Amino acid sequence: MREDKKIIFIVRNIIDFEFSLPLILNTKNSVILILNDFVLPKRYISLINEKKISHLFLKDDYLLFYFFKLSNVLNKVFFKLNLELKFIEKNILEIQYSLIKRVVLNFSITKDDIFIFDHNANARTKKLIKFIRSKFKEKIKIISIPHGINFFKNYMTDIHNISSPKKNEDYKLFDLIICSDQRQADDMEGKKIILEPLVYTTEWNQNLNKYFLKKEYSRNNNQKVLVLHSKYVGNISKLEFERALKILDANSDNLDIKLKVHPRSYKEVNIKNYKSISLFDGYIDEAFEWAEVIIFSSTSSIINAFIRKKPVIWMKFSTSNLIQDHIADNCSVANSPDEFLSLIIDLPKRNLKIAQYSPNNFSDLLLEWKEVILK
């Protein structure tokens, strides 16, 4: 295992970044490359600067950034109209190629170094990988890592799905695919290995508190209830989710209720409709630290509540998704609005199920990841 290898992390969104962050901070020569118009939150930029992590962000080039942003918007508009303007996609790729060239030059990347993508094998990713390989005569290692766990039993996880999405996707363009579990591995073709996520460990969550938690949350007689919103397109019933909020709103005595909205779906919830519910204005890890009870419909981030030994209510009635048994078994399950109301009324008794969840040891797991990636 050669720790001096540079690892270039191609980051597309906040989920990719947060999943990769334990590796980024714990490998010797990490380089973060953001090729699109995603902008990292300030707290992460501060951490990257503090830890002196090498990086190149599209946003740092003002003109390129806004040209890319405009091209991307036009691309999405024409896609919805079932039209294709090839020159727009070509412009986007040319910008991304130029950033890859800059990274290779600025950080002296060689064929012995490693590029890491998330689980994505779309047309654009394939062209980027082809471009990278062309720079190193095919000899550079390119790995795909997950940005989460396999949370669902069902495959049709988007409201627009009317048939089961394609399985056994071709990921052979990568030299190695790291998967979180067997089901994820079964759905991909290529050289695979299973490693559990670093983010779902006690030590990593303690590290997040050390890096970012700037205040202690006070406790009083009001029980702190956090509701996690998920995008409705992900098989969530808008009507049932709103009914759940109304149930909470009508039974809010001795409760402090906050809603954490999905970061890309703020317009889906009108908080003004609820007199006793407010938005949680902070990061998801801060929300889990604040809460004493967490309520959700469909998000794998709930694992962070299990790690913190916080009681969890799954609003099963609000989604057509079926979550994995080992997750559902650690929740108090509301199969219907009636059962949800009963659980809320009984909250003062503080007798909800506490997860019997034993996370992996971070240091041992980190060593496994590094041995796989750096060998």
Side-chain angles (χ1 to χ4, degrees):
M1 181 171 71
R2 282 186 48 194
E3 296 240 16
D4 60 327
K5 290 183 180 180
K6 299 182 190 74
I7 305 177
I8 303 91
F9 292 85
I10 309 288
V11 175
R12 293 191 306 136
N13 55 48
I14 189 65
I15 296 171
D16 291 350
F17 178 79
E18 290 179 338
F19 193 90
S20 303
L21 189 57
L23 267 178
I24 291 170
L25 294 179
N26 289 282
T27 45
K28 189 175 180 182
N29 291 309
S30 297
V31 179
I32 304 167
L33 174 57
I34 296 181
L35 293 171
N36 60 10
D37 53 356
F38 160 63
V39 177
L40 270 181
K42 288 181 181 178
R43 75 169 187 173
Y44 290 127
I45 293 174
S46 297
L47 180 64
I48 287 167
N49 290 334
E50 179 190 330
K51 300 293 183 181
K52 297 180 177 167
I53 305 291
S54 300
H55 58 275
L56 180 64
F57 301 159
L58 175 60
K59 79 167 187 66
D60 293 336
D61 189 316
Y62 183 86
L63 289 176
L64 270 186
F65 178 78
Y66 282 100
F67 183 63
F68 181 97
K69 206 172 184 66
L70 176 61
S71 299
N72 219 23
V73 168
L74 290 172
N75 216 14
K76 289 175 182 176
V77 168
F78 284 106
F79 179 79
K80 286 182 179 179
L81 295 172
N82 289 320
L83 297 172
E84 183 183 12
L85 291 183
K86 291 184 179 180
F87 78 89
I88 296 178
E89 178 65 16
K90 185 180 178 183
N91 287 342
I92 290 171
L93 280 166
E94 287 299 330
I95 291 170
Q96 295 183 326
Y97 292 159
S98 71
L99 290 169
I100 290 170
K101 285 180 188 175
R102 208 180 299 176
V103 157
V104 170
L105 183 64
N106 290 358
F107 302 110
S108 304
I109 307 301
T110 73
K111 64 181 178 58
D112 296 319
D113 297 321
I114 300 158
F115 276 84
I116 289 185
F117 286 76
D118 68 315
H119 281 182
N120 188 318
N122 64 20
R124 190 182 294 174
T125 297
K126 288 176 180 176
K127 287 174 182 175
L128 290 172
I129 288 174
K130 184 178 180 180
F131 179 79
I132 291 167
R133 292 198 187 282
S134 72
K135 294 291 163 192
F136 300 95
K137 298 181 179 178
E138 299 285 330
K139 293 181 180 179
I140 194 159
K141 189 174 184 180
I142 302 178
I143 296 174
S144 177
I145 67 173
H147 41 216
I149 61 169
N150 173 44
F151 191 65
F152 305 113
K153 290 182 178 180
N154 51 299
Y155 282 92
M156 295 169 64
T157 56
D158 185 297
I159 201 68
H160 299 109
N161 295 146
I162 57 172
S163 62
S164 191
K166 181 183 176 184
K167 302 174 189 177
N168 299 320
E169 284 192 84
D170 186 357
Y171 274 71
K172 292 194 287 290
L173 68 160
F174 296 103
D175 297 297
L176 180 66
I177 312 151
I178 297 176
C179 302
S180 294
D181 51 62
Q182 189 59 52
R183 154 114 175 235
Q184 208 172 66
D186 290 343
D187 291 344
M188 298 177 181
E189 289 185 2
K191 184 181 177 182
K192 296 164 286 194
I193 189 169
I194 296 172
L195 292 174
E196 295 194 25
L198 288 161
V199 290
Y200 298 135
T201 59
T202 302
E203 186 179 342
W204 177 247
N205 278 270
Q206 290 170 344
N207 284 342
L208 285 177
N209 289 347
K210 181 177 71 177
Y211 295 142
F212 302 126
L213 205 62
K214 304 303 181 188
K215 60 183 177 183
E216 292 290 331
Y217 291 108
S218 61
R219 300 293 178 204
N220 53 38
N221 291 332
N222 285 350
Q223 203 167 1
K224 292 177 168 56
V225 177
L226 176 70
V227 184
L228 299 176
H229 162 263
S230 297
K231 294 169 74 174
Y232 296 141
V233 73
N235 291 349
I236 309 298
S237 166
K238 180 177 186 290
L239 293 176
E240 292 291 13
F241 187 81
E242 289 178 345
R243 172 161 43 178
L245 292 180
K246 289 173 185 175
I247 289 171
L248 281 163
D249 205 30
N251 295 275
S252 58
D253 289 350
N254 300 315
L255 300 179
D256 185 357
I257 307 165
K258 291 191 182 294
L259 176 67
K260 181 62 179 166
V261 180
H262 190 282
R264 296 194 298 274
S265 301
Y266 271 90
K267 292 180 181 179
E268 288 192 350
V269 181
N270 186 356
I271 200 67
K272 294 177 182 177
N273 292 337
Y274 311 100
K275 60 180 174 55
S276 301
I277 303 175
S278 58
L279 293 177
F280 187 91
D281 184 20
Y283 294 93
I284 189 68
D285 51 288
E286 296 171 334
F288 281 120
E289 282 298 311
W290 171 85
E292 294 173 278
V293 176
I294 295 96
I295 299 171
F296 82 106
S297 293
S298 186
T299 171
S300 59
S301 67
I302 206 65
I303 303 296
N304 292 294
F306 297 165
I307 291 169
R308 291 170 168 83
K309 301 297 182 187
K310 304 280 179 90
V312 171
I313 296 173
W314 176 33
M315 298 187 295
K316 187 176 180 180
F317 67 93
S318 69
T319 177
S320 57
N321 289 324
L322 299 174
I323 62 177
Q324 297 285 347
D325 291 341
H326 69 278
I327 296 170
D329 291 346
N330 283 299
C331 304
S332 296
V333 181
N335 293 290
S336 68
D338 307 74
E339 291 183 8
F340 182 68
L341 174 60
S342 296
L343 288 169
I344 299 307
I345 289 171
D346 286 346
L347 279 180
K349 297 178 183 177
R350 297 178 185 260
N351 59 2
L352 290 172
K353 183 187 292 187
I354 302 294
Q356 301 302 307
Y357 185 83
S358 301
N360 287 298
N361 178 275
F362 178 83
S363 299
D364 293 343
L365 195 56
L366 176 64
L367 184 60
E368 285 184 52
W369 275 82
K370 289 169 78 170
E371 284 178 345
V372 165
I373 290 172
L374 294 168
K375 72 178 181 181

